[in-house]
Structures are given as structure tokens and as C-alpha cells.
Amino acid sequence: MDLSLWLALATAALLISLTPGAGAVNTMSNALNVGFRRSIWGIMGQQAALVVHVIIVALGLGVLVSHSPILFNVIRYAGAAYLVFLGIRQFMSRPVEDATAQATLAGEPGWSMFRRGMWVNLLNPKAIVFFLAFLPQFIRPDQPLVAQYSVVAVTVVVIDITVMWFFFALAAKSVRNFTRSAKGQRILNRCFGVLFVLLGGGLAILH
């Protein structure tokens, strides 16, 4: 991949990552609950899903999803239901008032955050269809495909990690002191809960 094409890919990937979505909401929620540094676990889970999406498109399965309304809708509604579930759970979360309980909350296993982040991004068929339309713009059929898709995957992942961690998670870190009070926790839990539900509802009803 030549430099000009790669720069176009990097610019597009940056703009996509900066667009708020379920991944951004999940990242900010993790940063508030477990801290900026440990929120990387959820971000890495989201990247695992992005790699799967790239592989799906590279193997041609994205065409199958985009042309099969039943398969598309099954994945779409599963993803919507999962986001709504996360939203309700977040909305109903009780404030943690003592230091010991807060430490327990911050001790959520990394694998748990990784798995949640992966499912948030994975159960989004629109991402597959988007990559199906997006990736071919940066692939040259007359050049080695594996190498090109590898460059695309690494570029997208590195940029998304940077944006998620140093933009969205860092933004959440700036208001984390707000969560030290029960009232602050309740407000933020409800705000993020509503955001997750809205995202899930949007995924279910938008075409």
C-alpha cells in the first residue's frame, strides 16, 4: 500500500473512531467504573471485534450478511438486545458509597471487560456492511491481499485504541471525581444507561 493511500485510510479510520457510538459509550463507562488505565481491557475487546469484522469482509462473508435479510436481522436484534441489557443494568446500578465497595467495583476482571467490549462491537451487522463498503476503497486487487488487509487491520486497530483510550477514556477520567458521591454515581449510571438503551434502540429500528 503506497503512502498516499495509507494516509487516506488513516484519515478515514480516525474520523470513524471519533464518531461517538457504542464503543465510545462502553469505553467511557469502563473508565468511570474501573479507571483510565484498566479501561484498556474493554478497548482491546472492541479491537478484537474489529479484527473479526475485517476478516469477515476479507473472506467475503460480509457479502452474505449484507445480502441475507434474515441473517442481518438476527445479528442486528441480538446486538440491540445486548446494548439494551447493558443499559438497563447500568441504569439500575446502585451507588457505591464506601471505599471498600468502590475498590471491589474497580476490581472487575480484565477478561470480563474484554468480553463485553468484544460483544458490543461484534454484534453490530452494520459494522460488517460498513467495512464491506469501506475497505475495498483501500484494497488493490493486483497486489497481495493478505498483506493489504493486514495493513488495514493494524491501522484501524491502532487508531481506534488511541482514540478510545486517549480521547474517550481520558474525557471520562476528567469527571471521575464526580463518581465519589452517591448522587454523582446515580446520575452517571442513568446517563450511560440511557445512552446504551438509545444505541440499542437505534440499532433495532434504523435500516
Side-chain angles (χ1 to χ4, degrees):
M1 182 179 294
D2 59 58
L3 181 60
S4 59
L5 188 62
W6 181 84
L7 288 174
L9 168 65
T11 301
L14 178 62
L15 292 175
I16 293 166
S17 293
L18 285 170
T19 303
V25 173
N26 186 61
T27 296
M28 294 182 74
S29 177
N30 282 338
L32 286 169
N33 287 326
V34 304
F36 168 75
R37 186 173 60 180
R38 296 195 67 241
S39 67
I40 190 64
W41 285 101
I43 294 171
M44 295 307 293
Q46 293 168 200
Q47 305 318 307
L50 288 183
V51 172
V52 171
H53 285 317
V54 172
I55 292 173
I56 287 174
V57 173
L59 293 177
L61 297 179
V63 176
L64 175 63
V65 174
S66 64
H67 287 81
S68 173
I70 294 177
L71 182 57
F72 182 88
N73 285 327
V74 166
I75 300 175
R76 178 160 65 98
Y77 287 123
Y82 185 64
L83 289 174
V84 170
F85 163 74
L86 290 179
I88 293 174
R89 188 177 68 174
Q90 184 89 27
F91 190 91
M92 300 298 292
S93 295
R94 295 183 178 181
V96 181
E97 300 184 15
D98 61 272
T100 301
Q102 286 188 8
T104 300
L105 180 63
E108 181 185 2
W111 172 245
S112 174
M113 289 184 287
F114 180 94
R115 185 174 61 246
R116 186 169 65 249
M118 183 177 68
W119 283 115
V120 162
N121 269 3
L122 198 59
L123 290 173
N124 185 358
K126 289 185 180 295
I128 300 176
V129 176
F130 175 79
F131 273 116
L132 185 63
F134 171 74
L135 294 188
Q137 311 301 319
F138 306 97
I139 301 298
R140 296 294 178 262
D142 58 330
Q143 298 178 14
L145 294 179
V146 174
Q148 291 184 82
Y149 276 111
S150 297
V151 169
V152 168
V154 171
T155 300
V156 170
V157 165
V158 169
I159 289 177
D160 200 58
I161 289 175
T162 302
V163 171
M164 288 297 144
W165 210 21
F166 293 103
F167 182 76
F168 290 111
L170 204 58
K173 182 183 179 182
S174 65
V175 297
R176 198 180 181 207
N177 287 337
F178 190 60
T179 66
R180 297 188 186 280
S181 69
K183 181 179 179 181
Q185 291 178 49
R186 189 179 296 109
I187 291 173
L188 288 174
N189 282 339
R190 289 179 178 176
C191 286
F192 278 100
V194 169
L195 284 174
F196 272 121
V197 171
L198 288 176
L199 286 168
L203 185 62
I205 65 176
L206 295 179
H207 295 278

